[in-house]
Amino acid sequence: MSDTAAQGEERVVADSAEQREERTGTTSVEQGEERTGTTSVEQGEERTGTTSADQGEEQVGTTSADQGEEQAEADEAEQRRERRTAAYRGARRILARPGHRATLRERLAVLDEAAHLYDLDEPVDIYGNRIVEALEERVAGLLGMEAAAFFPTGTMAQQVALRCWAGRTGNATVALHGLSHPEVHERNALSTVSGLRPVRVTSEPRLPTADEVRDFEEPFGALMLELPLRDAGFVLPSWEELSEVVEAARERDAVVHFDGARLWECTPHFGRPLEKIAGLADSVYVSFYKSLGGYSGAALAGPKTLVDEAKTWRHRYGGMVIHQFPAVLSALAGLERELPRLPEYVSHARVVAAALREGFAAAGVPWARVHPEEPHTHEFQVWLPYDAEVLADASVEQAEETKTFLFSDHWDARGPGLAVTEVSVRAEGLEWTADDVKAAVRDFVERLPH
């Protein structure tokens, strides 16, 4: 290439570079600073920085305060629980000591008590055989049913039962009470998990009547009756009323299922044996820990074809636990030890309830209720015209100072200045005379504001 050509190329390259710097480089930087740099920062401060900080202070500050209050409330509640637990364990006189409030050591002792009830040298159960089958046969015999199936929970047992009945009747609608366990305590499990459709026959604090069942405005495949109805005060109908309700359901071609978690203690009220009571229903569920003091578990009893299908669904629902012998042994112990004593508990509960009524009247409490006035089972409610926390504090204070825990269960607020608690009478309560109860009431009332 000639020198002239080379110089020409250098000038072209240089000129291009200068033009690019003028057109692009400097101008882009300067314009970028003007258009983007400063404006972005300023706008960012205006749009984002200050606003975010302000919002952050507002959002974080308020939330921290709320969280602080919530934590303080949680800490106070925990302190109350710990104090109540200590008072309960230190009490020398109490009406009932249910198993769920015992220590691990105390609960393990149940297995020693059950050692003579079954051959402990037999191999452990595997997925529902051996000792589990022995318990199932025992329960079926007690309830006068063809067969029974052990379930880890009553919630599962009842869902399975009602699901099986829906398949047989072709109607997934379940008529029940508005205060029944599935409606109040199971997070809509019947509909959410099992595809059933619960409808409320009534929500009155009593069992449904025959007329309510007979005149209900839509068809249903199953009627579920909770015996006793716990959230209404452990109430039961008369034998004649129960028989009429069952007949009314049958007139509508519906099956009848008993939620008999506490069916064991119903015999004194109905004046009939267990198999006679259970025989009114097509299927029955019973619990092993509520009244019998077992660790856990339930049984569904009914026709063998239903129970066989229920065992299939038990597997599908995750209820095929590989070893269940601790719960089963404790259930056998409960049937041996507690079942025969329940009528005695029921009888003494009536003594305690009458003494409570007389005690509050003598102490001048302006409004107090024992419900039912004569308990239907060994459990009932007490209503008092005070805030729940006031009553709870008085209960714990009495237990701490006198070692007598009259109201060991918690108090639930049912309105301004009104609260309710549940009273259960078990083996420990048999030691209380009517005068003991009245003296405890007098001491308890003295601790309330006047």
Side-chain angles (χ1 to χ4, degrees):
M1 180 184 294
S2 65
D3 293 340
T4 302
Q7 290 173 354
E9 283 188 5
E10 291 174 4
R11 282 199 304 273
V12 170
V13 171
D15 289 344
S16 297
E18 289 175 1
Q19 289 171 352
R20 281 196 301 273
E21 286 182 4
E22 291 175 2
R23 286 197 311 269
T24 308
T26 307
T27 304
S28 297
V29 173
E30 292 173 352
Q31 289 176 348
E33 289 179 358
E34 293 173 4
R35 285 199 313 266
T36 308
T38 307
T39 305
S40 296
V41 173
E42 292 172 352
Q43 290 175 347
E45 288 180 358
E46 293 173 5
R47 287 197 313 265
T48 308
T50 308
T51 304
S52 297
D54 293 343
Q55 291 174 345
E57 288 178 4
E58 293 173 4
Q59 291 168 355
V60 174
T62 306
T63 304
S64 297
D66 291 343
Q67 290 175 342
E69 290 180 6
E70 291 175 0
Q71 186 59 49
E73 291 175 0
D75 292 342
E76 183 180 354
E78 181 60 27
Q79 290 172 359
R80 283 177 175 271
R81 281 192 293 271
E82 290 176 356
R83 182 185 173 195
R84 186 174 190 80
T85 298
Y88 173 85
R89 290 179 178 170
R92 291 191 294 268
R93 172 164 284 182
I94 199 165
L95 289 170
R97 291 189 186 275
H100 66 271
R101 290 187 141 186
T103 63
L104 289 172
R105 187 180 303 279
E106 290 168 338
R107 296 303 280 153
L108 284 173
V110 173
L111 297 183
D112 291 333
E113 296 173 13
H116 69 285
L117 300 175
Y118 196 80
D119 182 3
L120 300 187
D121 290 323
E122 180 181 301
V124 297
D125 58 295
I126 298 177
Y127 295 123
N129 65 359
R130 299 187 177 115
I131 189 172
V132 179
E133 292 173 335
L135 176 63
E136 291 171 342
E137 291 175 9
R138 176 83 184 278
V139 172
L142 286 169
L143 299 178
M145 295 290 188
E146 287 185 352
F150 183 82
F151 279 80
T153 71
T155 298
M156 184 187 295
Q158 297 213 105
Q159 283 192 61
V160 167
L162 294 169
R163 181 170 195 147
C164 291
W165 283 126
R168 284 164 164 71
T169 64
N171 188 333
T173 300
V174 179
L176 42 64
H177 196 286
L179 294 176
S180 62
H181 197 278
E183 288 291 273
V184 179
H185 300 290
E186 296 180 16
R187 300 188 179 186
N188 303 312
L190 291 183
S191 56
T192 304
V193 178
S194 297
L196 301 169
R197 180 173 171 265
V199 294
R200 299 180 177 186
V201 177
T202 182
S203 292
E204 293 295 317
R206 53 162 174 74
L207 271 293
T209 66
D211 285 341
E212 287 171 333
V213 171
R214 190 177 292 111
D215 299 335
F216 194 68
E217 60 269 17
E218 59 180 301
F220 52 86
L223 172 66
M224 194 197 85
L225 297 173
E226 183 176 326
L227 301 175
L229 186 57
R230 182 261 183 98
D231 282 307
F234 304 94
V235 296
L236 291 163
S238 68
W239 177 255
E240 292 71 25
E241 289 170 335
L242 179 60
S243 300
E244 290 170 2
V245 168
V246 170
E247 181 59 31
R250 297 267 164 70
E251 289 173 9
R252 301 190 56 156
D253 296 324
V255 298
V256 177
H257 169 76
F258 284 171
D259 174 343
R262 297 174 173 85
L263 192 73
W264 307 113
E265 59 262 36
C266 293
T267 54
H269 176 82
F270 289 130
R272 285 159 176 82
L274 277 170
E275 63 268 22
K276 185 73 172 178
I277 301 169
L280 284 179
D282 297 285
S283 60
V284 179
Y285 137 69
V286 289
S287 172
F288 294 119
Y289 75 88
K290 289 182 171 63
S291 301
L292 299 183
Y295 289 171
S296 61
L300 170 66
K304 187 176 185 306
T305 54
L306 179 84
V307 171
D308 287 344
E309 182 185 359
K311 289 181 178 180
T312 299
W313 281 104
R314 179 181 64 184
H315 195 174
R316 290 171 176 155
Y317 272 68
M320 286 289 286
V321 182
I322 185 169
H323 300 312
Q324 299 181 94
F325 66 88
V328 172
L329 274 172
S330 69
L332 289 171
L335 292 172
E336 179 79 8
R337 182 187 65 244
E338 291 299 302
L339 182 59
R341 303 195 71 181
L342 287 175
E344 187 180 8
Y345 299 168
V346 175
S347 177
H348 199 63
R350 294 168 181 169
V351 174
V352 172
L356 286 171
R357 286 199 312 274
E358 294 171 14
F360 282 117
V365 177
W367 186 95
R369 292 290 184 275
V370 174
H371 176 69
E373 286 193 2
E374 182 175 288
H376 296 171
T377 71
H378 67 299
E379 297 175 293
F380 55 92
Q381 294 176 339
V382 170
W383 294 70
L384 291 177
Y386 296 91
D387 289 333
E389 289 186 359
V390 170
L391 294 167
D393 289 342
S395 296
V396 172
E397 181 182 291
Q398 181 181 32
E400 290 172 337
E401 295 181 6
T402 69
K403 303 304 178 184
T404 295
F405 216 156
L406 179 60
F407 299 113
S408 60
D409 209 346
H410 66 280
W411 290 85
D412 288 328
R414 292 296 173 90
L418 182 63
V420 61
T421 191
E422 295 177 346
V423 175
S424 179
V425 177
R426 304 191 187 211
E428 300 78 12
L430 298 178
E431 300 175 2
W432 293 56
T433 66
D435 287 341
D436 291 334
V437 175
K438 293 174 187 177
V441 169
R442 185 167 54 250
D443 178 80
F444 177 76
V445 172
E446 288 175 356
R447 302 172 187 278
L448 299 174
H450 298 285

